[in-house]
Amino acid sequence: MNEQDSIRELGSTREKNPNGSIHCLTIIGQIEGHQALPDDAKTTKYEHVMPLLAAVEESPEIDGLLILLNTMGGDVEAGLGIAELISGMTKPTASLVLGGGHSIGVPLAVAAKRSFIAPSAAVTIHPVRLTGVVIGAPQTYSYFEKMQERIVRFITDHSRVTRECLLGYMMSTDAIANDVGTVIDGREAVDSGIIDSLGTLSDALAYLHGEIQRRGEG
């Protein structure tokens, strides 16, 4: 696959300069899981992203990874699976939230070793929800609770936000019309400890190049 095909099909590209080679991955639209979304929906497919991340980690020609996020969320388990792969990488990684990093986009953002968010961007934090037929049994609600705990644990393990603060955002009933949760802008996301820094593309690249240089010197 050539560079243009990689950008078009996978939303990824690799750029090399004297400071090191950085692979850029975009996570946009909805995170698609086991169920295929309509053809007219912008999606990030986990079956594309997972092997790509493994290839980036193994490639001797790639020194770092930049993740550009503008996602409305999507499949929880697919999103967590991608986030776990990112967090387990040994190479320098940085995420940059542009526009929005909503729902399962939050674990994806904090999975990188350094997370950035543009001042104009926002993140949405809300409880786990499911569309379609739901069996009204105690086991269903227990399943939701356990899934939500997995998300809370991942975010708190990979950021500075406290569990109490995160749950407060998640369970707020007066921040979103007709829904539970909270939308916070870039500055509040940093102040709360969810995201590491306010920044733009140059800030994320400067961090990655600095980490690549430190690894080279070590």
Side-chain angles (χ1 to χ4, degrees), residues 29-143:
Q30 288 184 260
I31 311 300
E32 187 177 89
H34 302 302
Q35 300 296 321
L37 294 171
D39 291 337
D40 60 352
K42 293 282 188 181
T43 62
T44 296
K45 300 179 185 297
Y46 79 106
E47 68 268 27
H48 291 170
V49 176
M50 286 183 168
L52 188 149
L53 290 171
V56 168
E57 174 71 2
E58 284 292 287
S59 174
E61 299 178 356
I62 299 174
D63 302 306
L65 174 68
L66 173 65
I67 306 116
L68 301 180
L69 282 159
N70 189 3
T71 175
M72 61 185 296
D75 187 277
V76 170
E77 293 193 342
L80 280 179
I82 295 170
E84 287 285 5
L85 283 176
I86 294 170
S87 69
M89 296 180 72
T90 60
K91 292 182 178 179
T93 57
S95 64
L96 174 59
V97 179
L98 300 159
H102 305 299
S103 191
I104 201 63
V106 178
L108 288 166
V110 304
K113 292 180 174 61
R114 185 78 176 181
S115 58
F116 295 85
I117 186 168
S120 62
V123 300
T124 302
I125 301 166
H126 60 69
V128 171
R129 51 173 60 92
L130 184 68
T131 58
V133 177
V134 177
I135 299 173
Q139 293 89 335
T140 299
Y141 300 105
S142 175
Y143 172 73

Side-chain angles (χ1 to χ4, degrees), residues 185-202:
D185 63 18
R187 186 168 298 279
E188 187 174 356
V190 173
D191 290 343
S192 67
I194 295 172
I195 302 296
D196 292 321
S197 304
L198 280 177
T200 58
L201 180 61
S202 60

